[in-house]
PDB file of all heavy atoms in Angstrom:
ATOM      1  N   MET Y   1      23.245  32.489  17.250  1.00  0.00           N
ATOM      2  CA  MET Y   1      23.037  31.129  17.673  1.00  0.00           C
ATOM      3  C   MET Y   1      22.142  31.146  18.955  1.00  0.00           C
ATOM      4  O   MET Y   1      22.613  30.647  19.900  1.00  0.00           O
ATOM      5  CB  MET Y   1      24.424  30.394  17.816  1.00  0.00           C
ATOM      6  CG  MET Y   1      25.181  30.102  16.451  1.00  0.00           C
ATOM      7  SD  MET Y   1      24.268  29.318  15.302  1.00  0.00           S
ATOM      8  CE  MET Y   1      24.057  27.758  15.897  1.00  0.00           C
ATOM      9  N   SER Y   2      21.073  31.633  18.819  1.00  0.00           N
ATOM     10  CA  SER Y   2      20.186  31.609  19.992  1.00  0.00           C
ATOM     11  C   SER Y   2      19.607  30.300  20.240  1.00  0.00           C
ATOM     12  O   SER Y   2      19.635  29.356  19.346  1.00  0.00           O
ATOM     13  CB  SER Y   2      18.966  32.663  19.715  1.00  0.00           C
ATOM     14  OG  SER Y   2      18.187  32.223  18.492  1.00  0.00           O
ATOM     15  N   GLN Y   3      18.974  30.201  21.378  1.00  0.00           N
ATOM     16  CA  GLN Y   3      18.393  28.797  21.767  1.00  0.00           C
ATOM     17  C   GLN Y   3      17.210  28.404  20.769  1.00  0.00           C
ATOM     18  O   GLN Y   3      17.141  27.249  20.400  1.00  0.00           O
ATOM     19  CB  GLN Y   3      17.797  28.978  23.116  1.00  0.00           C
ATOM     20  CG  GLN Y   3      17.284  27.585  23.642  1.00  0.00           C
ATOM     21  CD  GLN Y   3      16.707  27.582  25.101  1.00  0.00           C
ATOM     22  OE1 GLN Y   3      16.504  28.721  25.605  1.00  0.00           O
ATOM     23  NE2 GLN Y   3      16.469  26.564  25.711  1.00  0.00           N
ATOM     24  N   ARG Y   4      16.438  29.435  20.314  1.00  0.00           N
ATOM     25  CA  ARG Y   4      15.431  29.174  19.274  1.00  0.00           C
ATOM     26  C   ARG Y   4      16.038  28.569  18.110  1.00  0.00           C
ATOM     27  O   ARG Y   4      15.583  27.558  17.446  1.00  0.00           O
ATOM     28  CB  ARG Y   4      14.667  30.336  19.079  1.00  0.00           C
ATOM     29  CG  ARG Y   4      13.587  30.149  18.057  1.00  0.00           C
ATOM     30  CD  ARG Y   4      12.739  31.414  17.796  1.00  0.00           C
ATOM     31  NE  ARG Y   4      11.734  31.295  16.810  1.00  0.00           N
ATOM     32  CZ  ARG Y   4      10.909  32.267  16.403  1.00  0.00           C
ATOM     33  NH1 ARG Y   4      11.076  33.495  16.933  1.00  0.00           N
ATOM     34  NH2 ARG Y   4       9.902  32.051  15.535  1.00  0.00           N
ATOM     35  N   LEU Y   5      17.109  29.120  17.515  1.00  0.00           N
ATOM     36  CA  LEU Y   5      17.734  28.792  16.217  1.00  0.00           C
ATOM     37  C   LEU Y   5      18.362  27.431  16.452  1.00  0.00           C
ATOM     38  O   LEU Y   5      18.324  26.468  15.509  1.00  0.00           O
ATOM     39  CB  LEU Y   5      18.820  29.719  15.805  1.00  0.00           C
ATOM     40  CG  LEU Y   5      19.511  29.337  14.459  1.00  0.00           C
ATOM     41  CD1 LEU Y   5      18.521  29.273  13.273  1.00  0.00           C
ATOM     42  CD2 LEU Y   5      20.654  30.332  14.184  1.00  0.00           C
ATOM     43  N   CYS Y   6      19.003  27.086  17.626  1.00  0.00           N
ATOM     44  CA  CYS Y   6      19.570  25.811  17.891  1.00  0.00           C
ATOM     45  C   CYS Y   6      18.573  24.656  17.844  1.00  0.00           C
ATOM     46  O   CYS Y   6      18.762  23.694  17.180  1.00  0.00           O
ATOM     47  CB  CYS Y   6      20.335  25.895  19.146  1.00  0.00           C
ATOM     48  SG  CYS Y   6      21.864  26.763  19.140  1.00  0.00           S
ATOM     49  N   ILE Y   7      17.468  24.997  18.398  1.00  0.00           N
ATOM     50  CA  ILE Y   7      16.246  23.948  18.397  1.00  0.00           C
ATOM     51  C   ILE Y   7      15.805  23.781  16.997  1.00  0.00           C
ATOM     52  O   ILE Y   7      15.568  22.732  16.585  1.00  0.00           O
ATOM     53  CB  ILE Y   7      15.173  24.445  19.463  1.00  0.00           C
ATOM     54  CG1 ILE Y   7      15.710  24.397  20.819  1.00  0.00           C
ATOM     55  CG2 ILE Y   7      13.949  23.466  19.171  1.00  0.00           C
ATOM     56  CD1 ILE Y   7      14.611  24.958  21.754  1.00  0.00           C
ATOM     57  N   GLN Y   8      15.713  24.873  16.163  1.00  0.00           N
ATOM     58  CA  GLN Y   8      15.281  24.742  14.858  1.00  0.00           C
ATOM     59  C   GLN Y   8      16.228  23.850  13.961  1.00  0.00           C
ATOM     60  O   GLN Y   8      15.964  22.929  13.156  1.00  0.00           O
ATOM     61  CB  GLN Y   8      15.089  26.049  14.168  1.00  0.00           C
ATOM     62  CG  GLN Y   8      13.923  26.841  14.746  1.00  0.00           C
ATOM     63  CD  GLN Y   8      13.803  28.299  14.125  1.00  0.00           C
ATOM     64  OE1 GLN Y   8      14.875  28.815  13.669  1.00  0.00           O
ATOM     65  NE2 GLN Y   8      12.711  29.003  14.368  1.00  0.00           N
ATOM     66  N   LEU Y   9      17.632  24.087  14.273  1.00  0.00           N
ATOM     67  CA  LEU Y   9      18.644  23.402  13.554  1.00  0.00           C
ATOM     68  C   LEU Y   9      18.692  21.882  13.916  1.00  0.00           C
ATOM     69  O   LEU Y   9      19.315  21.050  13.330  1.00  0.00           O
ATOM     70  CB  LEU Y   9      19.948  24.112  13.721  1.00  0.00           C
ATOM     71  CG  LEU Y   9      20.194  25.472  13.136  1.00  0.00           C
ATOM     72  CD1 LEU Y   9      21.488  25.994  13.410  1.00  0.00           C
ATOM     73  CD2 LEU Y   9      20.048  25.263  11.534  1.00  0.00           C
ATOM     74  N   LEU Y  10      18.134  21.573  15.048  1.00  0.00           N
ATOM     75  CA  LEU Y  10      17.969  20.254  15.578  1.00  0.00           C
ATOM     76  C   LEU Y  10      16.714  19.531  15.083  1.00  0.00           C
ATOM     77  O   LEU Y  10      16.757  18.434  14.666  1.00  0.00           O
ATOM     78  CB  LEU Y  10      17.954  20.187  17.147  1.00  0.00           C
ATOM     79  CG  LEU Y  10      17.953  18.780  17.799  1.00  0.00           C
ATOM     80  CD1 LEU Y  10      19.060  17.874  17.412  1.00  0.00           C
ATOM     81  CD2 LEU Y  10      17.689  19.008  19.334  1.00  0.00           C
ATOM     82  N   LEU Y  11      15.580  20.196  15.144  1.00  0.00           N
ATOM     83  CA  LEU Y  11      14.353  19.706  14.814  1.00  0.00           C
ATOM     84  C   LEU Y  11      14.308  19.452  13.210  1.00  0.00           C
ATOM     85  O   LEU Y  11      13.634  18.502  12.714  1.00  0.00           O
ATOM     86  CB  LEU Y  11      13.110  20.542  15.251  1.00  0.00           C
ATOM     87  CG  LEU Y  11      12.925  20.629  16.685  1.00  0.00           C
ATOM     88  CD1 LEU Y  11      11.694  21.556  17.063  1.00  0.00           C
ATOM     89  CD2 LEU Y  11      12.693  19.134  17.254  1.00  0.00           C
ATOM     90  N   GLY Y  12      14.935  20.293  12.540  1.00  0.00           N
ATOM     91  CA  GLY Y  12      15.019  20.214  11.011  1.00  0.00           C
ATOM     92  C   GLY Y  12      15.588  18.860  10.644  1.00  0.00           C
ATOM     93  O   GLY Y  12      14.961  18.152   9.859  1.00  0.00           O
ATOM     94  N   PRO Y  13      16.775  18.449  10.999  1.00  0.00           N
ATOM     95  CA  PRO Y  13      17.257  17.068  10.696  1.00  0.00           C
ATOM     96  C   PRO Y  13      16.349  15.893  11.027  1.00  0.00           C
ATOM     97  O   PRO Y  13      16.078  14.993  10.370  1.00  0.00           O
ATOM     98  CB  PRO Y  13      18.578  16.977  11.519  1.00  0.00           C
ATOM     99  CG  PRO Y  13      19.055  18.436  11.634  1.00  0.00           C
ATOM    100  CD  PRO Y  13      17.722  19.250  11.716  1.00  0.00           C
ATOM    101  N   TYR Y  14      15.660  15.900  12.183  1.00  0.00           N
ATOM    102  CA  TYR Y  14      14.724  14.931  12.660  1.00  0.00           C
ATOM    103  C   TYR Y  14      13.472  14.909  11.706  1.00  0.00           C
ATOM    104  O   TYR Y  14      13.046  13.870  11.410  1.00  0.00           O
ATOM    105  CB  TYR Y  14      14.241  15.165  14.022  1.00  0.00           C
ATOM    106  CG  TYR Y  14      15.190  14.580  15.092  1.00  0.00           C
ATOM    107  CD1 TYR Y  14      16.260  15.414  15.448  1.00  0.00           C
ATOM    108  CD2 TYR Y  14      15.047  13.396  15.534  1.00  0.00           C
ATOM    109  CE1 TYR Y  14      17.137  14.885  16.518  1.00  0.00           C
ATOM    110  CE2 TYR Y  14      16.022  12.889  16.456  1.00  0.00           C
ATOM    111  CZ  TYR Y  14      16.989  13.633  17.014  1.00  0.00           C
ATOM    112  OH  TYR Y  14      17.938  13.253  17.985  1.00  0.00           O
ATOM    113  N   SER Y  15      13.022  16.123  11.336  1.00  0.00           N
ATOM    114  CA  SER Y  15      11.886  16.082  10.364  1.00  0.00           C
ATOM    115  C   SER Y  15      12.144  15.725   9.061  1.00  0.00           C
ATOM    116  O   SER Y  15      11.431  14.735   8.517  1.00  0.00           O
ATOM    117  CB  SER Y  15      11.343  17.646  10.246  1.00  0.00           C
ATOM    118  OG  SER Y  15      10.996  18.070  11.579  1.00  0.00           O
ATOM    119  N   VAL Y  16      13.311  16.077   8.400  1.00  0.00           N
ATOM    120  CA  VAL Y  16      13.718  15.588   7.159  1.00  0.00           C
ATOM    121  C   VAL Y  16      14.038  14.148   7.133  1.00  0.00           C
ATOM    122  O   VAL Y  16      13.705  13.468   6.245  1.00  0.00           O
ATOM    123  CB  VAL Y  16      14.967  16.360   6.691  1.00  0.00           C
ATOM    124  CG1 VAL Y  16      15.430  15.919   5.367  1.00  0.00           C
ATOM    125  CG2 VAL Y  16      14.516  17.876   6.548  1.00  0.00           C
ATOM    126  N   GLY Y  17      14.751  13.624   8.176  1.00  0.00           N
ATOM    127  CA  GLY Y  17      15.052  12.118   8.373  1.00  0.00           C
ATOM    128  C   GLY Y  17      13.745  11.396   8.316  1.00  0.00           C
ATOM    129  O   GLY Y  17      13.749  10.271   7.831  1.00  0.00           O
ATOM    130  N   PHE Y  18      12.840  11.849   9.098  1.00  0.00           N
ATOM    131  CA  PHE Y  18      11.500  11.111   9.225  1.00  0.00           C
ATOM    132  C   PHE Y  18      10.887  11.016   7.684  1.00  0.00           C
ATOM    133  O   PHE Y  18      10.509   9.989   7.322  1.00  0.00           O
ATOM    134  CB  PHE Y  18      10.576  11.840  10.114  1.00  0.00           C
ATOM    135  CG  PHE Y  18       9.202  11.221  10.204  1.00  0.00           C
ATOM    136  CD1 PHE Y  18       8.924  10.186  11.003  1.00  0.00           C
ATOM    137  CD2 PHE Y  18       8.160  11.773   9.403  1.00  0.00           C
ATOM    138  CE1 PHE Y  18       7.698   9.478  11.070  1.00  0.00           C
ATOM    139  CE2 PHE Y  18       6.911  11.083   9.530  1.00  0.00           C
ATOM    140  CZ  PHE Y  18       6.692  10.101  10.245  1.00  0.00           C
ATOM    141  N   LEU Y  19      10.731  12.125   6.950  1.00  0.00           N
ATOM    142  CA  LEU Y  19      10.182  12.145   5.761  1.00  0.00           C
ATOM    143  C   LEU Y  19      11.076  11.307   4.764  1.00  0.00           C
ATOM    144  O   LEU Y  19      10.453  10.726   3.844  1.00  0.00           O
ATOM    145  CB  LEU Y  19      10.055  13.611   5.169  1.00  0.00           C
ATOM    146  CG  LEU Y  19       9.022  14.474   6.003  1.00  0.00           C
ATOM    147  CD1 LEU Y  19       9.176  15.990   5.408  1.00  0.00           C
ATOM    148  CD2 LEU Y  19       7.672  13.976   5.897  1.00  0.00           C
ATOM    149  N   ASN Y  20      12.323  11.412   4.910  1.00  0.00           N
ATOM    150  CA  ASN Y  20      13.211  10.722   4.005  1.00  0.00           C
ATOM    151  C   ASN Y  20      13.038   9.279   4.045  1.00  0.00           C
ATOM    152  O   ASN Y  20      12.822   8.450   3.099  1.00  0.00           O
ATOM    153  CB  ASN Y  20      14.672  11.069   4.312  1.00  0.00           C
ATOM    154  CG  ASN Y  20      15.650  10.134   3.793  1.00  0.00           C
ATOM    155  OD1 ASN Y  20      15.915  10.013   2.501  1.00  0.00           O
ATOM    156  ND2 ASN Y  20      16.380   9.411   4.563  1.00  0.00           N
ATOM    157  N   THR Y  21      13.011   8.705   5.274  1.00  0.00           N
ATOM    158  CA  THR Y  21      13.066   7.225   5.441  1.00  0.00           C
ATOM    159  C   THR Y  21      11.521   6.766   5.258  1.00  0.00           C
ATOM    160  O   THR Y  21      11.265   5.583   4.709  1.00  0.00           O
ATOM    161  CB  THR Y  21      13.476   6.817   6.740  1.00  0.00           C
ATOM    162  OG1 THR Y  21      13.675   5.395   6.846  1.00  0.00           O
ATOM    163  CG2 THR Y  21      12.524   7.295   7.930  1.00  0.00           C
ATOM    164  N   MET Y  22      10.499   7.623   5.539  1.00  0.00           N
ATOM    165  CA  MET Y  22       9.051   7.115   5.298  1.00  0.00           C
ATOM    166  C   MET Y  22       8.925   6.870   3.760  1.00  0.00           C
ATOM    167  O   MET Y  22       8.249   5.990   3.373  1.00  0.00           O
ATOM    168  CB  MET Y  22       8.167   8.122   5.884  1.00  0.00           C
ATOM    169  CG  MET Y  22       7.902   8.197   7.325  1.00  0.00           C
ATOM    170  SD  MET Y  22       7.089   6.646   7.919  1.00  0.00           S
ATOM    171  CE  MET Y  22       5.471   6.935   7.107  1.00  0.00           C
ATOM    172  N   THR Y  23       9.486   7.778   2.956  1.00  0.00           N
ATOM    173  CA  THR Y  23       9.252   7.796   1.486  1.00  0.00           C
ATOM    174  C   THR Y  23       9.757   6.565   0.956  1.00  0.00           C
ATOM    175  O   THR Y  23       9.044   5.868   0.276  1.00  0.00           O
ATOM    176  CB  THR Y  23      10.015   9.012   0.802  1.00  0.00           C
ATOM    177  OG1 THR Y  23       9.444  10.226   1.426  1.00  0.00           O
ATOM    178  CG2 THR Y  23       9.698   8.980  -0.652  1.00  0.00           C
ATOM    179  N   HIS Y  24      10.998   6.173   0.984  1.00  0.00           N
ATOM    180  CA  HIS Y  24      11.532   5.105   0.272  1.00  0.00           C
ATOM    181  C   HIS Y  24      11.336   3.720   1.056  1.00  0.00           C
ATOM    182  O   HIS Y  24      11.253   2.629   0.377  1.00  0.00           O
ATOM    183  CB  HIS Y  24      13.017   5.240  -0.148  1.00  0.00           C
ATOM    184  CG  HIS Y  24      13.957   5.441   1.008  1.00  0.00           C
ATOM    185  ND1 HIS Y  24      14.278   4.400   1.881  1.00  0.00           N
ATOM    186  CD2 HIS Y  24      14.647   6.540   1.458  1.00  0.00           C
ATOM    187  CE1 HIS Y  24      15.168   4.862   2.776  1.00  0.00           C
ATOM    188  NE2 HIS Y  24      15.355   6.170   2.604  1.00  0.00           N
ATOM    189  N   THR Y  25      11.134   3.747   2.265  1.00  0.00           N
ATOM    190  CA  THR Y  25      10.803   2.494   3.057  1.00  0.00           C
ATOM    191  C   THR Y  25       9.434   1.923   2.743  1.00  0.00           C
ATOM    192  O   THR Y  25       9.269   0.717   2.407  1.00  0.00           O
ATOM    193  CB  THR Y  25      11.121   2.596   4.549  1.00  0.00           C
ATOM    194  OG1 THR Y  25      12.279   3.136   4.934  1.00  0.00           O
ATOM    195  CG2 THR Y  25      10.754   1.367   5.333  1.00  0.00           C
ATOM    196  N   ILE Y  26       8.434   2.880   2.832  1.00  0.00           N
ATOM    197  CA  ILE Y  26       7.158   2.449   2.451  1.00  0.00           C
ATOM    198  C   ILE Y  26       6.962   2.023   1.020  1.00  0.00           C
ATOM    199  O   ILE Y  26       6.460   0.960   0.653  1.00  0.00           O
ATOM    200  CB  ILE Y  26       6.101   3.579   2.779  1.00  0.00           C
ATOM    201  CG1 ILE Y  26       6.098   3.718   4.278  1.00  0.00           C
ATOM    202  CG2 ILE Y  26       4.658   3.318   2.216  1.00  0.00           C
ATOM    203  CD1 ILE Y  26       5.081   4.908   4.683  1.00  0.00           C
ATOM    204  N   ALA Y  27       7.656   2.785   0.105  1.00  0.00           N
ATOM    205  CA  ALA Y  27       7.662   2.491  -1.279  1.00  0.00           C
ATOM    206  C   ALA Y  27       8.196   1.164  -1.631  1.00  0.00           C
ATOM    207  O   ALA Y  27       7.751   0.345  -2.421  1.00  0.00           O
ATOM    208  CB  ALA Y  27       8.404   3.553  -2.075  1.00  0.00           C
ATOM    209  N   ALA Y  28       9.229   0.701  -0.840  1.00  0.00           N
ATOM    210  CA  ALA Y  28       9.969  -0.456  -1.157  1.00  0.00           C
ATOM    211  C   ALA Y  28       9.183  -1.734  -0.603  1.00  0.00           C
ATOM    212  O   ALA Y  28       9.068  -2.644  -1.228  1.00  0.00           O
ATOM    213  CB  ALA Y  28      11.374  -0.495  -0.537  1.00  0.00           C
ATOM    214  N   PHE Y  29       8.647  -1.571   0.605  1.00  0.00           N
ATOM    215  CA  PHE Y  29       8.077  -2.785   1.252  1.00  0.00           C
ATOM    216  C   PHE Y  29       6.563  -2.944   0.840  1.00  0.00           C
ATOM    217  O   PHE Y  29       5.899  -3.933   1.265  1.00  0.00           O
ATOM    218  CB  PHE Y  29       8.240  -2.633   2.887  1.00  0.00           C
ATOM    219  CG  PHE Y  29       9.602  -3.002   3.322  1.00  0.00           C
ATOM    220  CD1 PHE Y  29      10.530  -2.008   3.365  1.00  0.00           C
ATOM    221  CD2 PHE Y  29       9.816  -4.299   3.720  1.00  0.00           C
ATOM    222  CE1 PHE Y  29      11.769  -2.398   3.874  1.00  0.00           C
ATOM    223  CE2 PHE Y  29      11.151  -4.697   4.088  1.00  0.00           C
ATOM    224  CZ  PHE Y  29      12.101  -3.618   4.290  1.00  0.00           C
ATOM    225  N   ARG Y  30       6.068  -2.200  -0.039  1.00  0.00           N
ATOM    226  CA  ARG Y  30       4.736  -2.421  -0.579  1.00  0.00           C
ATOM    227  C   ARG Y  30       4.933  -3.181  -1.881  1.00  0.00           C
ATOM    228  O   ARG Y  30       3.884  -3.598  -2.518  1.00  0.00           O
ATOM    229  CB  ARG Y  30       4.121  -1.078  -0.885  1.00  0.00           C
ATOM    230  CG  ARG Y  30       3.577  -0.392   0.525  1.00  0.00           C
ATOM    231  CD  ARG Y  30       2.923   0.988   0.156  1.00  0.00           C
ATOM    232  NE  ARG Y  30       1.665   0.658  -0.461  1.00  0.00           N
ATOM    233  CZ  ARG Y  30       0.716   1.627  -0.858  1.00  0.00           C
ATOM    234  NH1 ARG Y  30       1.031   2.907  -0.800  1.00  0.00           N
ATOM    235  NH2 ARG Y  30      -0.424   1.310  -1.498  1.00  0.00           N
ATOM    236  N   LEU Y  31       6.212  -3.439  -2.357  1.00  0.00           N
ATOM    237  CA  LEU Y  31       6.356  -4.016  -3.596  1.00  0.00           C
ATOM    238  C   LEU Y  31       6.269  -5.622  -3.506  1.00  0.00           C
ATOM    239  O   LEU Y  31       6.429  -6.053  -2.307  1.00  0.00           O
ATOM    240  CB  LEU Y  31       7.821  -3.698  -4.149  1.00  0.00           C
ATOM    241  CG  LEU Y  31       7.940  -2.368  -4.582  1.00  0.00           C
ATOM    242  CD1 LEU Y  31       9.490  -2.078  -4.934  1.00  0.00           C
ATOM    243  CD2 LEU Y  31       7.099  -1.863  -5.892  1.00  0.00           C
ATOM    244  N   PRO Y  32       5.893  -6.362  -4.535  1.00  0.00           N
ATOM    245  CA  PRO Y  32       5.863  -7.860  -4.439  1.00  0.00           C
ATOM    246  C   PRO Y  32       7.260  -8.424  -4.402  1.00  0.00           C
ATOM    247  O   PRO Y  32       8.111  -8.029  -5.201  1.00  0.00           O
ATOM    248  CB  PRO Y  32       5.049  -8.362  -5.774  1.00  0.00           C
ATOM    249  CG  PRO Y  32       5.433  -7.103  -6.694  1.00  0.00           C
ATOM    250  CD  PRO Y  32       5.513  -5.907  -5.781  1.00  0.00           C
ATOM    251  N   PHE Y  33       7.567  -9.347  -3.441  1.00  0.00           N
ATOM    252  CA  PHE Y  33       8.838 -10.016  -3.338  1.00  0.00           C
ATOM    253  C   PHE Y  33       8.757 -11.444  -3.985  1.00  0.00           C
ATOM    254  O   PHE Y  33       7.646 -12.059  -3.818  1.00  0.00           O
ATOM    255  CB  PHE Y  33       9.297 -10.184  -1.892  1.00  0.00           C
ATOM    256  CG  PHE Y  33       9.719  -8.863  -1.283  1.00  0.00           C
ATOM    257  CD1 PHE Y  33       8.788  -8.017  -0.780  1.00  0.00           C
ATOM    258  CD2 PHE Y  33      10.897  -8.428  -1.351  1.00  0.00           C
ATOM    259  CE1 PHE Y  33       9.114  -6.766  -0.201  1.00  0.00           C
ATOM    260  CE2 PHE Y  33      11.442  -7.264  -0.884  1.00  0.00           C
ATOM    261  CZ  PHE Y  33      10.421  -6.423  -0.285  1.00  0.00           C
ATOM    262  N   CYS Y  34       9.771 -11.878  -4.649  1.00  0.00           N
ATOM    263  CA  CYS Y  34       9.750 -13.229  -5.301  1.00  0.00           C
ATOM    264  C   CYS Y  34      10.029 -14.287  -4.234  1.00  0.00           C
ATOM    265  O   CYS Y  34      10.053 -13.985  -3.085  1.00  0.00           O
ATOM    266  CB  CYS Y  34      10.842 -13.167  -6.347  1.00  0.00           C
ATOM    267  SG  CYS Y  34      10.660 -11.927  -7.647  1.00  0.00           S
ATOM    268  N   GLY Y  35      10.034 -15.444  -4.740  1.00  0.00           N
ATOM    269  CA  GLY Y  35      10.229 -16.622  -3.793  1.00  0.00           C
ATOM    270  C   GLY Y  35      11.411 -16.544  -2.815  1.00  0.00           C
ATOM    271  O   GLY Y  35      11.443 -17.014  -1.801  1.00  0.00           O
ATOM    272  N   SER Y  36      12.618 -16.097  -3.340  1.00  0.00           N
ATOM    273  CA  SER Y  36      13.729 -15.921  -2.534  1.00  0.00           C
ATOM    274  C   SER Y  36      13.607 -15.014  -1.392  1.00  0.00           C
ATOM    275  O   SER Y  36      13.024 -13.807  -1.670  1.00  0.00           O
ATOM    276  CB  SER Y  36      14.954 -15.577  -3.428  1.00  0.00           C
ATOM    277  OG  SER Y  36      16.112 -15.419  -2.555  1.00  0.00           O
ATOM    278  N   ASN Y  37      13.975 -15.252  -0.255  1.00  0.00           N
ATOM    279  CA  ASN Y  37      13.941 -14.374   0.917  1.00  0.00           C
ATOM    280  C   ASN Y  37      15.294 -14.118   1.474  1.00  0.00           C
ATOM    281  O   ASN Y  37      15.406 -13.710   2.689  1.00  0.00           O
ATOM    282  CB  ASN Y  37      13.011 -14.855   1.898  1.00  0.00           C
ATOM    283  CG  ASN Y  37      13.513 -16.011   2.587  1.00  0.00           C
ATOM    284  OD1 ASN Y  37      14.249 -16.928   2.128  1.00  0.00           O
ATOM    285  ND2 ASN Y  37      12.907 -16.420   3.767  1.00  0.00           N
ATOM    286  N   ILE Y  38      16.342 -14.404   0.734  1.00  0.00           N
ATOM    287  CA  ILE Y  38      17.760 -14.349   1.243  1.00  0.00           C
ATOM    288  C   ILE Y  38      18.351 -12.927   0.847  1.00  0.00           C
ATOM    289  O   ILE Y  38      18.446 -12.573  -0.226  1.00  0.00           O
ATOM    290  CB  ILE Y  38      18.691 -15.415   0.569  1.00  0.00           C
ATOM    291  CG1 ILE Y  38      18.141 -16.744   1.065  1.00  0.00           C
ATOM    292  CG2 ILE Y  38      20.111 -15.380   1.113  1.00  0.00           C
ATOM    293  CD1 ILE Y  38      18.847 -18.042   0.390  1.00  0.00           C
ATOM    294  N   ILE Y  39      18.814 -12.142   1.948  1.00  0.00           N
ATOM    295  CA  ILE Y  39      19.179 -10.948   1.838  1.00  0.00           C
ATOM    296  C   ILE Y  39      20.788 -10.956   1.887  1.00  0.00           C
ATOM    297  O   ILE Y  39      21.301 -11.418   2.842  1.00  0.00           O
ATOM    298  CB  ILE Y  39      18.761  -9.963   2.850  1.00  0.00           C
ATOM    299  CG1 ILE Y  39      17.276  -9.672   2.734  1.00  0.00           C
ATOM    300  CG2 ILE Y  39      19.507  -8.622   2.825  1.00  0.00           C
ATOM    301  CD1 ILE Y  39      16.628  -8.787   3.832  1.00  0.00           C
ATOM    302  N   ASN Y  40      21.416 -10.578   0.778  1.00  0.00           N
ATOM    303  CA  ASN Y  40      22.900 -10.589   0.677  1.00  0.00           C
ATOM    304  C   ASN Y  40      23.485  -9.444   1.524  1.00  0.00           C
ATOM    305  O   ASN Y  40      24.128  -8.480   0.918  1.00  0.00           O
ATOM    306  CB  ASN Y  40      23.296 -10.504  -0.660  1.00  0.00           C
ATOM    307  CG  ASN Y  40      24.907 -10.799  -0.847  1.00  0.00           C
ATOM    308  OD1 ASN Y  40      25.448 -11.205   0.038  1.00  0.00           O
ATOM    309  ND2 ASN Y  40      25.389 -10.418  -2.022  1.00  0.00           N
ATOM    310  N   HIS Y  41      23.277  -9.524   2.871  1.00  0.00           N
ATOM    311  CA  HIS Y  41      23.735  -8.499   3.773  1.00  0.00           C
ATOM    312  C   HIS Y  41      23.750  -8.901   5.107  1.00  0.00           C
ATOM    313  O   HIS Y  41      23.236 -10.026   5.300  1.00  0.00           O
ATOM    314  CB  HIS Y  41      23.001  -7.217   3.485  1.00  0.00           C
ATOM    315  CG  HIS Y  41      23.689  -5.882   3.575  1.00  0.00           C
ATOM    316  ND1 HIS Y  41      24.615  -5.579   4.656  1.00  0.00           N
ATOM    317  CD2 HIS Y  41      23.830  -4.842   2.779  1.00  0.00           C
ATOM    318  CE1 HIS Y  41      25.208  -4.466   4.384  1.00  0.00           C
ATOM    319  NE2 HIS Y  41      24.802  -3.911   3.320  1.00  0.00           N
ATOM    320  N   PHE Y  42      24.255  -8.059   5.992  1.00  0.00           N
ATOM    321  CA  PHE Y  42      24.044  -8.421   7.502  1.00  0.00           C
ATOM    322  C   PHE Y  42      22.981  -7.693   8.226  1.00  0.00           C
ATOM    323  O   PHE Y  42      22.785  -7.744   9.331  1.00  0.00           O
ATOM    324  CB  PHE Y  42      25.432  -8.330   8.167  1.00  0.00           C
ATOM    325  CG  PHE Y  42      26.056  -6.947   8.124  1.00  0.00           C
ATOM    326  CD1 PHE Y  42      25.794  -5.999   9.120  1.00  0.00           C
ATOM    327  CD2 PHE Y  42      26.928  -6.671   7.085  1.00  0.00           C
ATOM    328  CE1 PHE Y  42      26.365  -4.804   9.100  1.00  0.00           C
ATOM    329  CE2 PHE Y  42      27.553  -5.445   7.064  1.00  0.00           C
ATOM    330  CZ  PHE Y  42      27.139  -4.414   8.071  1.00  0.00           C
ATOM    331  N   PHE Y  43      22.304  -6.742   7.356  1.00  0.00           N
ATOM    332  CA  PHE Y  43      21.200  -6.042   7.918  1.00  0.00           C
ATOM    333  C   PHE Y  43      20.338  -5.545   6.752  1.00  0.00           C
ATOM    334  O   PHE Y  43      20.681  -5.712   5.546  1.00  0.00           O
ATOM    335  CB  PHE Y  43      21.648  -4.776   8.803  1.00  0.00           C
ATOM    336  CG  PHE Y  43      22.168  -3.626   7.992  1.00  0.00           C
ATOM    337  CD1 PHE Y  43      21.403  -2.584   7.641  1.00  0.00           C
ATOM    338  CD2 PHE Y  43      23.558  -3.636   7.491  1.00  0.00           C
ATOM    339  CE1 PHE Y  43      21.815  -1.505   6.977  1.00  0.00           C
ATOM    340  CE2 PHE Y  43      24.013  -2.442   6.809  1.00  0.00           C
ATOM    341  CZ  PHE Y  43      23.133  -1.525   6.476  1.00  0.00           C
ATOM    342  N   CYS Y  44      19.178  -4.954   6.997  1.00  0.00           N
ATOM    343  CA  CYS Y  44      18.199  -4.588   5.955  1.00  0.00           C
ATOM    344  C   CYS Y  44      18.545  -3.315   5.355  1.00  0.00           C
ATOM    345  O   CYS Y  44      17.842  -2.347   5.692  1.00  0.00           O
ATOM    346  CB  CYS Y  44      16.791  -4.822   6.573  1.00  0.00           C
ATOM    347  SG  CYS Y  44      16.119  -6.286   6.946  1.00  0.00           S
TER     348      CYS Y  44
END
């Protein structure tokens, strides 16, 4: 568990998290939305 490995194990989650959310967020918000704009939730 060297400092180098710890940094890699930290940067890995940030990199994967970035690619993960970029993929499905961009794919979703490029779609056409119908007339209703009411989201059945308290956040997006």
